[in-house]
Amino acid sequence: MTDAAEHGPDQPITVHFKRRGVTIEVPPGMSILMAMRANRIPAPSSCESGMCGACALPVLQGIPEHRDHLLTDDCTDEIMTCVSRAR
């Protein structure tokens, strides 16, 4: 798994789930996936290390900071919620 420390300290991010009409805050040190679960938003996952792609969600706005092992910086329309964040 990508070491979060190599990206510098995390900043809080805001994630909006368009279909649900819900916005949640993701604090530093917490994954989007963990914040989804804390807010009772159904969240598919499997490996939780950015290798399998089971937790992928579409990105409608913003720029993902990929910390997974599947997507490259060129991919701006998908994010692995278990490890990646937003810029």
Side-chain angles (χ1 to χ4, degrees), residues 67-78:
R67 297 179 179 183
D68 59 85
H69 297 284
L70 298 173
L71 303 175
T72 65
D73 288 340
D74 295 339
C75 180
T76 59
D77 63 346
E78 195 171 30

